[in-house]
Amino acid sequence: MKSLLAALLLIMSGAAAAEDYDLSVTRKGSNLYKVDGKDIYIHTRYCYEYVYSEDALLRMSGTSGKIVFIDEGESCDVKAVYGESNLTAGKYKISVSREDDDWYEVFGTDTFIKTSMCLNLALGDDAILKVSAGGYGTLYFIDDEDDCSVEGVYTQLRL
């Protein structure tokens, strides 16, 4: 088993070998789990485990894998793992689609936006993303004039 520090070093080095990572995770939305104490999200498929600071084993190969919730004895397929994007502060015209609750994909990129209580069911909708230096900001949907608070902008990682 590798520690979280080793996992982060592998993320930064771009290594693509299959690895296991010991983590503690908390459910943050439908199919979305946050690594406790880190700005890293795990996006799952059809995962219904409601956990808070639960010990977990993340088994990854490239961009997909499996997460095992130790105390629950359950596992779920991992669609992808996301880390904080290096997007600079500014205003961007983008097209977005809703992937899951409060999780939007920026069309044509490996970039995803984590929102807070955003109910827009966007499917290739034009939007304006206004981001501050800390990664927070606002997502404005042009056609229906909705806006949502942005908690962060993330990019897919290879583990």
Side-chain angles (χ1 to χ4, degrees):
M1 301 294 163
K2 301 286 184 185
S3 70
L4 185 56
L5 178 59
L8 292 174
L9 289 174
L10 281 174
I11 291 168
M12 291 177 192
S13 70
E19 294 286 339
D20 292 349
Y21 307 98
D22 288 317
L23 310 167
S24 175
V25 297
T26 297
R27 184 181 171 101
K28 291 296 185 178
S30 174
N31 289 306
L32 197 61
Y33 297 84
K34 185 175 188 300
V35 176
D36 295 336
K38 304 293 177 191
D39 207 5
I40 297 174
Y41 284 89
I42 301 168
H43 191 195
T44 60
R45 287 187 177 96
Y46 312 112
C47 194
Y48 306 105
E49 298 303 313
Y50 290 88
V51 297
Y52 181 82
S53 293
E54 170 98 15
D55 288 333
L57 172 69
L58 178 64
R59 176 166 283 163
M60 294 296 296
S61 179
T63 58
S64 64
K66 199 171 265 315
I67 187 169
V68 179
F69 301 98
I70 305 300
D71 292 343
E72 304 293 323
E74 298 292 331
S75 67
C76 297
D77 289 333
V78 171
K79 188 173 182 179
V81 177
Y82 301 95
E84 190 174 16
S85 173
N86 58 2
L87 186 68
T88 58
K91 199 186 279 189
Y92 303 90
K93 185 170 195 250
I94 57 175
S95 293
V96 295
S97 293
R98 181 180 180 271
E99 285 285 309
D100 270 308
D101 295 345
D102 292 319
W103 195 249
Y104 293 85
E105 178 180 12
V106 178
F107 181 74
T109 70
D110 280 333
T111 303
F112 291 77
I113 301 168
K114 172 74 171 95
T115 62
S116 176
M117 299 191 319
C118 190
L119 301 176
N120 194 296
L121 299 175
L123 182 59
D125 291 3
D126 290 332
I128 302 292
L129 174 62
K130 186 176 179 183
V131 182
S132 68
Y136 296 93
T138 307
L139 181 62
Y140 299 96
F141 294 92
I142 295 172
D143 289 340
D144 46 8
E145 300 178 7
D146 283 346
D147 61 44
C148 298
S149 295
V150 171
E151 292 183 1
V153 180
Y154 298 88
T155 188
Q156 189 171 358
L157 304 174
R158 289 188 64 83
L159 300 176

